[in-house]
């Protein structure tokens, strides 16, 4: 039996068509994009094509996009550079308490350097109220950080409302759109953001490449220094094949996003309905409707999530408790704790994220196994 992969929020496999588009850039067209010769020019042209594709998808202009190694770099770049540029104006930042660690990490560092950060908790349904973000604003606020969708519970956040608020107040707004790009429509003009981060391995592109949107006119000094690449805004030899792959992945998502989302939502709803009906100790985490089309996230009382994930792994199904980035860390998820879950419920969690190639049969097998493992776990406890 082929392994069943239900952990698309952690990483999606590279689409074979993406790999095909990347292939020449490892071989006959493997020039350095900063070189003057033909291979260098070909690489530069391919990068600019990918930049245009991405810019068009999110409603930006190509010069507003820089390519990065992924969303962690994009978030670090936006936060440290905005803080550096604006520290004379104020040293207060607002973030939701359920941001990804690549946002929280830089913010903790800035706190050590004298910045103040207000962390706004979500409501019990995982949604951060824009009124709560508004109440946290101060005259010295320079930056607001709010993810588009949470990577654990899949909840969609009110980025448009918060973006309008930030624009009115003249405060920079960073949106981590890592979980939404390629899955649902994202438009930087509608969101009114100044920075938006993304990562190709979440939408069937390669790992280790992403992009940061920086709105024209926004002060954002380079973060990685030592070369003139990306018009002096990000040093380092371009990951040409990776960037080309990102562009191809974007084209594919654009063509099949609505179809993929509809199909995935049917599978997701099947998982949610089955679990809530058949596993008495289960609760759904996150808002029932305002969530990513591919995400189902549960807590089970009396069941250890780590053991459940391992048991399912042995049965050939890849799922997770929440974020792959925090697997192996002791303690409950900061997202579930911020929503008010007890330690027991937070430690009994399971994230199921379906994808482009998930079938009905995959879900049937997974649900059978899940029911069995939960029954075994309950009778052992
Ligand atoms: N933000 C979110 C919401 C994510 O889900 C992830 C990946 N788990 C990241 C940032 C980091 O992305 P990358 O792996 O590209 O560094």
């Amino acid at each position: 039996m082929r392994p069943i992969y239900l952990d698309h929020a952690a990483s999606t496999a590279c689409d074979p068509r993406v790999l095909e588009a990347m292939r020449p850039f490892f071989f006959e067209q493997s020039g350095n994009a900063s070189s003057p010769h033909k291979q260098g020019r070909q690489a530069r042209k391919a990068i600019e094509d990918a930049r245009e594709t991405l810019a068009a998808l999110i409603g930006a202009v190509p010069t507003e996009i820089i390519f990065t190694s992924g969303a962690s770099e994009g978030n670090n770049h936006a936060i440290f550079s905005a803080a550096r540029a604006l520290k004379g104006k104020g040293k207060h930042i607002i973030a939701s308490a359920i941001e990804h660690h690549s946002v929280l990490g830089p913010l903790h560092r800035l706190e050590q350097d004298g910045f103040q950060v207000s962390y706004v908790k979500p409501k019990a349904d995982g949604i951060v109220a824009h009124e709560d973000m508004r109440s946290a604003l101060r005259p010295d606020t320079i930056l607001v950080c709010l993810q588009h969708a949470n990577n654990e519970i899949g909840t969609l956040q009110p980025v448009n409302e918060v973006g309008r608020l930030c624009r009115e107040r003249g405060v920079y707004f960073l949106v981590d759109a890592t979980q939404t790009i390629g899955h649902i429509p994202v438009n930087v003009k509608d969101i009114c953001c100044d920075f938006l981060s993304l990562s190709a391995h979440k939408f069937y592109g390669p790992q280790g490449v992403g992009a940061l949107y920086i709105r024209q006119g926004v002060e954002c000094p380079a973060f990685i220094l030592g070369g003139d690449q990306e018009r002096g805004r990000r040093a380092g030899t371009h990951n040409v094949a990776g960037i080309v792959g990102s562009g191809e992945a974007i084209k594919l998502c654009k063509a099949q996003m609505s179809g993929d989302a509809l199909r995935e939502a049917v599978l997701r709803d099947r998982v949610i309905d089955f679990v809530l009906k058949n596993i008495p100790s289960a609760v759904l985490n996150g808002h029932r409707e305002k969530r990513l089309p591919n995400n189902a996230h549960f807590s089970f009382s009396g069941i250890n999530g780590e053991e459940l994930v391992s048991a399912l792994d042995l049965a050939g199904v890849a799922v997770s408790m929440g974020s792959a980035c925090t697997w192996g860390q002791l303690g409950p998820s900061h997202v579930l704790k911020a929503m008010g879950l007890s330690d027991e419920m937070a430690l009994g969690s399971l994230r199921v994220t379906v994808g482009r190639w998930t079938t009905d049969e995959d879900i049937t097998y997974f649900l059978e196994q899940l029911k069995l493992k939960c029954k075994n776990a309950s009778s052992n406890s």
Side-chain angles (χ1 to χ4, degrees):
M1 199 190 134
R2 76 180 174 101
I4 294 175
Y5 187 77
L6 299 176
D7 199 15
H8 291 82
S11 204
T12 53
C14 202
D15 190 298
R17 295 165 288 182
V18 168
L19 194 60
E20 210 34 53
M22 291 168 69
R23 206 198 56 81
F25 296 89
F26 289 110
F27 300 106
E28 61 273 20
Q29 294 183 42
S30 66
N32 185 319
S34 304
S35 298
H37 46 59
K38 185 176 167 205
Q39 284 82 353
R41 286 196 303 277
Q42 283 174 332
R44 273 202 297 287
K45 163 92 173 62
I47 289 172
E48 293 321 311
D49 287 349
R51 202 188 305 277
E52 266 180 35
T53 304
L54 172 55
L57 181 87
I58 62 171
V61 292
T63 49
E64 293 176 312
I65 306 286
I66 62 168
F67 287 108
T68 63
S69 62
S72 297
E73 181 189 321
N75 288 333
N76 274 259
H77 183 153
I79 292 168
F80 284 125
S81 299
R84 186 181 168 80
L86 299 177
K87 63 178 187 288
K89 192 178 160 213
K91 286 189 150 191
H92 179 243
I93 298 175
I94 300 170
S96 87
I98 58 170
E99 293 299 299
H100 187 265
H101 285 284
S102 59
V103 169
L104 297 176
L107 294 178
H108 294 156
R109 172 69 62 81
L110 287 177
E111 284 180 285
Q112 290 164 6
D113 294 344
F115 283 77
Q116 290 180 332
V117 183
S118 301
Y119 297 98
V120 177
K121 285 190 179 179
K123 304 287 184 205
D125 62 6
I127 298 180
V128 178
H130 78 275
E131 295 82 7
D132 292 345
M133 296 297 262
R134 181 196 297 273
S135 315
L137 279 168
R138 302 190 332 203
D140 61 340
T141 307
I142 52 168
L143 175 69
V144 171
C145 311
L146 181 63
Q147 60 201 190
H148 196 185
N150 184 266
N151 51 303
E152 296 188 28
I153 54 170
T155 320
L156 297 167
Q157 302 297 339
V159 286
N160 291 9
E161 289 87 336
V162 174
R164 275 197 296 276
L165 182 65
C166 291
R167 193 61 57 85
E168 276 165 23
R169 300 286 184 96
V171 174
Y172 281 172
F173 184 35
L174 162 65
V175 173
D176 177 350
T178 310
Q179 291 289 336
T180 50
I181 292 277
H183 298 274
I184 59 172
V186 175
N187 185 295
V188 291
K189 301 235 167 55
D190 294 344
I191 298 177
C192 284
C193 58
D194 300 284
F195 307 102
L196 184 132
S197 54
L198 60 106
S199 186
H201 74 102
K202 307 289 186 178
F203 53 83
Y204 308 96
Q207 296 179 344
V209 57
L212 177 66
Y213 159 82
I214 306 172
R215 187 169 67 86
Q216 199 140 22
V218 161
E219 277 186 83
C220 185
F223 174 61
I224 297 186
L225 307 169
D228 283 338
Q229 292 89 349
E230 296 295 89
R231 297 163 59 240
R233 292 186 299 171
R234 197 269 188 183
T237 302
H238 286 97
N239 175 358
V240 184
I243 292 169
V244 169
S246 308
E248 188 63 22
I250 290 281
K251 279 188 200 153
L252 296 173
C253 285
K254 206 170 171 180
Q256 45 186 106
M257 182 153 56
S258 49
D260 278 356
L262 279 175
R263 211 181 48 77
E264 288 171 9
V266 171
L267 297 175
R268 173 201 66 186
D269 290 343
R270 202 182 139 203
V271 171
I272 293 176
D273 293 343
F274 178 94
V275 169
L276 295 182
K277 194 162 160 226
N278 290 280
I279 304 179
S281 66
V283 292
L284 178 72
N285 291 320
H287 194 281
R288 179 67 183 81
E289 281 89 36
K290 292 181 187 164
R291 65 189 308 128
L292 288 169
N294 72 337
N295 174 300
H297 190 286
F298 307 96
S299 282
F300 304 96
S301 68
I303 292 179
N304 179 298
E306 233 172 282
E307 284 169 19
L308 183 59
V309 168
S310 300
L312 288 164
D313 188 28
L314 284 176
V317 184
V319 284
S320 64
M321 277 180 78
S323 167
C325 312
T326 50
W327 177 253
Q329 274 182 15
L330 291 176
S333 135
H334 71 289
V335 173
L336 301 179
K337 288 302 289 176
M339 286 162 62
L341 267 71
S342 65
D343 281 3
E344 188 215 352
M345 290 303 267
L347 290 168
S349 64
L350 184 76
R351 180 182 70 183
V352 184
T353 45
V354 301
R356 188 172 278 171
W357 300 290
T358 308
T359 64
D360 252 329
E361 293 72 43
D362 292 343
I363 297 298
T364 303
Y365 176 77
F366 159 66
L367 292 174
E368 275 166 23
Q369 289 298 317
L370 179 67
K371 194 174 168 188
L372 187 71
K373 307 296 177 213
C374 285
K375 203 166 146 224
N376 294 346
S378 307
S379 53
N380 289 342
S381 65

